[in-house]
């Protein structure tokens, strides 16, 4: 079995670390700039089981209408509209990979809070993702909020 690592940056340091610690005997590192190779690999996703490990987070998008400018500071005041919660970070990566037909194992850490429960529910509902999330009580789950 060949293990392929897709790296966005720090490729050389990770190569060195893997060789020194001998985590992997056979692996191939593909830089994200190699678009043709990535297209080739994506075509094989339906036959693959892919492991995604990383910072699992919740992206909360709040949509609203600008009703006026705050008189105390130059910032817009919004009338809250629709709120969308979507998987973020490693969960977003897993979602994108599953969309192309791969079976994805998602490993990450979430807190034992409401945000962590939302993340868990979101990724559990995505076809093709098997979440393996570790819940740590007392830890706050990562949440990124955008106001649009």
């Amino acid at each position: 079995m060949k293990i392929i690592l897709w790296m966005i940056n720090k490729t050389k340091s990770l190569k060195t670390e893997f060789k020194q610690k001998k985590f992997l005997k056979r692996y191939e590192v593909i830089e994200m700039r190699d678009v043709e190779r990535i297209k080739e690999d994506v075509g094989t996703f339906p036959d693959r089981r892919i492991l995604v490990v990383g910072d699992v987070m919740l992206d909360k998008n709040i949509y609203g209408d600008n009703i006026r400018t705050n008189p105390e500071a130059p910032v817009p005041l919004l009338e809250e509209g629709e709120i969308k919660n979507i998987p973020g970070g490693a969960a977003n990566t897993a979602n994108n990979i599953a969309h192309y037909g791969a079976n994805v194992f998602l490993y990450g850490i979430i807190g034992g809070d409401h945000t962590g429960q939302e993340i868990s529910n979101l990724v559990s509902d995505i076809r093709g993702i098997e979440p393996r999330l570790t819940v740590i009580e007392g830890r706050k789950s990562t949440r990124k909020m955008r106001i649009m």
Side-chain angles (χ1 to χ4, degrees):
M1 172 175 72
K2 181 180 267 189
I3 297 170
I4 299 173
L5 303 173
W6 283 1
M7 307 308 299
I8 295 171
N9 56 21
K10 299 185 180 177
T11 304
K12 289 181 183 175
S13 64
L14 275 171
K15 273 186 181 179
T16 304
E17 186 176 330
F18 281 127
K19 284 180 182 176
Q20 287 174 349
K21 295 184 180 179
K22 297 180 183 171
F23 284 134
L24 304 172
K25 293 181 180 177
R26 295 179 293 174
Y27 67 94
E28 180 179 353
V29 176
I30 301 170
E31 293 190 38
M32 295 302 287
R33 293 175 283 198
D34 189 352
V35 176
E36 291 306 313
R37 176 59 195 273
I38 292 170
K39 285 181 185 177
E40 179 183 313
D41 286 343
V42 169
T44 68
F45 276 10
D47 303 326
R48 303 273 183 181
R49 293 181 300 167
I50 297 176
L51 171 66
V52 175
V53 180
D55 189 13
V56 177
M57 64 179 71
L58 179 70
D59 285 349
K60 183 180 278 283
N61 296 333
I62 302 173
Y63 299 90
D65 294 322
N66 184 359
I67 53 176
R68 64 186 170 98
T69 302
N70 186 340
E72 299 162 359
V75 294
L77 295 175
L78 299 179
E79 184 174 329
E80 187 178 302
E82 184 181 10
I83 298 174
K84 285 188 179 178
N85 291 323
I86 56 175
N92 182 43
T93 301
N95 183 29
N96 292 337
I97 293 170
H99 175 76
Y100 286 100
N103 293 312
V104 180
F105 297 91
L106 173 62
Y107 281 80
I109 297 173
I110 57 174
D113 55 2
H114 180 71
T115 300
Q117 188 60 51
E118 285 184 83
I119 295 167
S120 181
N121 291 341
L122 278 171
V123 296
S124 294
D125 290 342
I126 299 171
R127 185 171 169 239
I129 296 181
E130 287 192 39
R132 311 282 190 190
L133 303 175
T134 300
V135 178
I136 299 179
E137 296 299 329
R139 181 183 192 274
K140 290 182 90 172
S141 299
T142 305
R143 179 180 66 183
K144 181 171 45 176
M145 190 180 309
R146 293 182 187 94
I147 300 174
M148 303 181 179

